[in-house]
Amino acid sequence: MHSVVARVTDRIIQRSAGSRAAYLAVVDAMIHRQPAQDRMGCANLAHAYAALPGADKFRVTVEKAPHIGIVTAYNDMLSAHQPYQAYPAIVRDEAARHQATVQVAGGVPAMCDGITQGTPGMELSLFSRDAIAMATAVALSHDVFDGVLLLGVCDKIVPGLLIGALHYGHLPCVFVPAGPMGSGLPNKDKAKVREQYAQGLAGRGELLQAESAAYHSPGTCTFYGTANSNQMLLEAMGLHVPGAAFESPGTEVREAFTRQAVRTVLDIGQRGTRFTPIGQLVDERCIVNAMVALLATGGSTNHLIHWVAIARSAGILIDWTDFDELSSAVPLLARVYPNGDADVNQFQAAGGPPWILRELLSGGFMHPDVLSVNAGGIAAGGKSAPAVSGDPSVLRPVSAPFSATGGLRLLQGRLGRAVIKVSAVPEDRHIVEAPARVFDSQEALLAAFSAGALQQDMVAVVRFQGPQANGMPELHKLTPPLAVLQNQGFQVALVTDGRMSGASGKVPAAIHVTPEALAGGPLAKVRDGDIVRVDAVAGTLDVRVDEAEWAARTPALCTAPAATGFGRELFANFRRHVGGAEQGACTWL
């Protein structure tokens, strides 16, 4: 085991000793209860099974067959989740072949950041994760299941499902993905049209044509953002059938993976051969394996929020310092857009997650001796991976990585703590020092760009975008104009207490700044013209202002007009109680 990985894991284990022990005690108590058919009242059981077909009702009540619950994020609006419409029938058919029964326990909301990007609906995005977690818990609260299949793919959906499932940690759980859409217009070409549109060089019709050619059919988007990073991390955690992440929807292979998931959840149930409840599977080593996989593939920065919350759901305490230290040692093995030109289908063709996991295990960067839903452990998928990368421009071995270090850095200094994704940023942009241009909303920055008022070296400070302020929306709309300015030769960086996910591209972006401006964070003291230094080499985030002047400054109040977006008042309670980004932006702690 690599010394840094071992050291960080040991530190997490020690830090989490008390909370993890308390969590496992609850899981153990739940495991040792009687089965639902013997434990629950007759009226309770009658209600639970009233809608089952007669044969299934006899099977589960008299024969006491294993009973599988499905929690699904199906809707037919999101391309990534539309394929789930057919899954319950497949699951029931496969379960019946093994004398088991199935019920859809509940559905969870699933919103698309691509649809809500730059609109008031985006304010609900991060908070939807906790709503999904609670909806998962509500579905499982009926407490009649022997195992659970979790159907979800995209940004907040997988973390929400996982958080909810971990609050029922006595249950064996398997995630069942749906796969990516086929390759369409290359992501790089799509980004070029966006930049042309931002400059007025392309019309709305051209932009819509390009976007529709990129996002064109059922399945996840093909760039390596949060949704596809989710799938990589689930494979690294041993929560998928090996190799299931990136097989496209509607194929015979995809259905075979779904049927194998049914057999797997039965096998890891209490009446199976390898009882593996999710609360025991997701331990400190499992969480570190996910962190390593994220860093080795240049995955989404959203997971520096989500995986903190996921870990806490299992009594495990991690922070951004852990990510940063791992990143100093974990090699970058993948180049997938926005960290390269390839999409996830090319990533899969080159070897995909099984190839990555095999390389990381062979290099001592992942813990091999962890629980998994698979009989062969997390190494099982690697046995089918090609001996060498199918495309060295997409995947490289640990012996010859794209970079000796991972794609994420922790920044800290007078402006707080932030993270930056450097895997896609040219090395000559890893340090930007320039005058600040301060905005209290992304709309204000976009207006200044449209007016031609940003033709200069600058660090764009976009504040009052944290979870307490407005739900911490992703600020993808800023990427095209900032990229245009960078391409024009200006030194440009972004500093914000908001989010950028995996799509900041080649523009250096110090994001998730904590404490956020609304909570008294130092971003509220920055003024236009202050010299701000974003230094991903030294890991610093500073402002060049005299100490006495800085101390005397009164934090600015947000000048952006009060939002009146959909659901804003409904989610006001989330904003009042949410924790900071580094604490996982949780509303339930």
Side-chain angles (χ1 to χ4, degrees):
M1 180 61 58
H2 192 284
S3 60
V4 171
V5 177
R7 181 169 64 247
V8 171
T9 304
D10 288 344
R11 183 170 69 224
I12 293 170
I13 290 172
Q14 293 173 22
R15 183 193 299 144
S16 309
S19 54
R20 179 65 176 166
Y23 173 80
L24 288 176
V26 174
V27 170
D28 187 66
M30 296 289 281
I31 288 171
H32 287 92
R33 299 176 305 162
Q34 287 184 306
Q37 294 92 332
D38 299 325
R39 170 173 37 86
M40 299 185 73
C42 294
N44 305 80
L45 293 175
H47 277 288
Y49 305 139
L52 280 174
D56 280 357
K57 193 178 298 185
F58 177 83
R59 190 175 293 155
V60 73
T61 57
V62 179
E63 296 180 345
K64 298 183 179 178
H67 192 48
I68 301 171
I70 297 174
V71 181
T72 179
Y74 163 72
N75 63 52
D76 64 8
M77 184 177 188
L78 273 63
S79 62
H81 294 100
Q82 184 269 353
Y84 284 133
Q85 182 179 24
Y87 277 42
I90 296 171
V91 170
R92 287 192 179 94
D93 179 72
E94 187 63 30
R97 299 183 188 195
H98 299 275
Q99 292 73 53
T101 54
V102 176
Q103 285 179 306
V104 175
V108 302
M111 64 177 287
C112 176
D113 294 352
I115 298 172
T116 59
Q117 196 60 239
T119 75
M122 189 66 202
E123 292 190 4
L124 309 186
S125 173
L126 181 59
F127 293 153
S128 77
R129 183 199 68 196
D130 285 14
I132 292 161
M134 289 187 283
T136 302
V138 169
L140 299 180
S141 68
H142 298 109
D143 203 21
V144 296
F145 302 109
D146 298 293
V148 182
L149 296 178
L150 299 161
L151 279 54
V153 178
C154 283
D155 296 14
K156 266 55 70 184
I157 293 90
V158 164
L161 288 168
L162 185 47
I163 289 168
L166 285 168
H167 281 81
Y168 285 79
H170 63 290
L171 290 170
C173 298
V174 177
F175 276 82
V176 189
M181 66 178 66
S183 299
L185 181 72
N187 289 292
K188 187 176 182 180
D189 294 347
K190 173 196 66 183
K192 185 181 297 182
V193 177
R194 287 180 176 178
E195 292 174 20
Q196 291 172 338
Y197 180 76
Q199 299 173 83
L201 301 177
R204 182 177 174 86
E206 293 170 87
L207 180 61
L208 180 58
Q209 184 178 14
E211 298 285 3
S212 298
Y215 309 116
H216 57 83
S217 66
T220 56
C221 308
T222 61
F223 68 92
Y224 195 55
T226 309
N228 288 318
S229 298
N230 280 336
Q231 305 311 304
M232 179 72 239
L233 270 59
L234 289 176
E235 293 230 8
M237 296 174 77
L239 288 170
H240 268 175
V241 172
F246 297 132
E247 175 66 29
S248 293
T251 67
E252 290 183 3
V253 175
R254 170 51 67 199
E255 181 172 332
F257 276 127
T258 301
R259 290 182 178 276
Q260 179 60 44
V262 179
R263 296 192 293 273
T264 298
V265 79
L266 292 173
D267 193 32
I268 62 174
Q270 282 194 312
R271 282 168 277 187
T273 62
R274 301 179 297 108
F275 179 52
T276 312
I278 192 171
Q280 293 178 1
L281 185 156
V282 179
D283 65 6
E284 297 90 341
R285 298 166 303 162
C286 176
I287 290 292
V288 169
N289 282 352
M291 296 163 74
V292 167
L294 177 75
L295 296 166
T297 55
S300 171
T301 52
N302 271 329
H303 293 313
L304 276 78
I305 298 174
H306 295 322
W307 250 252
V308 173
I310 288 165
R312 284 176 175 240
S313 300
I316 300 165
L317 308 179
I318 62 174
D319 59 32
W320 291 349
T321 302
D322 299 324
F323 280 100
D324 188 56
E325 189 168 343
L326 288 171
S327 188
S328 71
V330 174
L332 182 66
L333 305 183
R335 286 283 188 201
V336 190
Y337 189 85
N339 303 323
D341 293 336
D343 66 14
V344 294
N345 295 307
Q346 293 167 289
F347 172 56
Q348 173 77 351
W355 198 90
I356 289 285
L357 297 183
R358 189 189 64 198
E359 284 296 310
L360 292 171
L361 287 165
S362 68
F365 294 103
M366 292 181 70
H367 296 277
D369 54 338
V370 291
L371 293 175
S372 168
V373 301
N374 308 295
I378 60 171
K383 295 176 181 178
S384 61
V388 296
S389 168
D391 187 343
S393 70
V394 180
L395 290 180
R396 289 187 184 175
V398 292
S399 58
F402 292 104
S403 170
T405 59
L408 297 170
R409 288 298 312 273
L410 171 67
L411 305 179
Q412 46 193 339
R414 293 174 73 186
L415 294 182
R417 284 164 68 90
V419 295
I420 185 169
K421 183 174 179 177
V422 295
S423 53
V425 178
E427 288 191 10
D428 63 350
R429 304 283 178 156
H430 285 192
I431 301 174
V432 175
E433 184 172 310
R437 290 295 306 273
V438 182
F439 304 93
D440 288 357
S441 69
Q442 63 178 330
E443 291 79 12
L445 188 153
L446 292 170
F449 175 81
S450 296
L454 299 182
Q455 304 292 307
Q456 65 177 92
D457 292 346
M458 69 165 184
V459 174
V461 175
V462 183
R463 61 194 183 187
F464 299 107
Q465 304 300 305
Q468 290 184 30
N470 62 354
M472 204 179 188
E474 290 179 353
L475 306 174
H476 288 312
K477 292 287 186 182
L478 302 182
T479 299
L482 294 177
V484 167
L485 295 170
Q486 184 172 265
N487 292 340
Q488 291 174 346
F490 296 112
Q491 289 285 311
V492 178
L494 173 68
V495 175
T496 181
D497 48 9
R499 295 183 294 131
M500 286 290 281
S501 180
S504 57
K506 300 183 184 304
V507 177
I511 58 177
H512 307 174
V513 175
T514 184
E516 64 174 284
L518 192 70
L523 285 189
K525 288 188 173 186
V526 180
R527 304 289 183 263
D528 275 339
D530 289 347
I531 302 301
V532 174
R533 182 179 178 88
V534 179
D535 189 337
V537 177
T540 57
L541 180 62
D542 285 310
V543 58
R544 309 292 196 196
V545 177
D546 177 75
E547 288 285 357
E549 179 187 346
W550 185 255
R553 280 188 183 177
T554 301
L557 300 176
C558 181
T559 61
T564 57
F566 317 116
R568 185 173 176 81
E569 293 309 314
L570 182 65
F571 280 75
N573 197 47
F574 280 78
R575 296 198 307 278
R576 281 194 293 269
H577 295 287
V578 69
E582 191 169 5
Q583 288 72 50
C586 297
T587 56
W588 39 266
L589 288 177

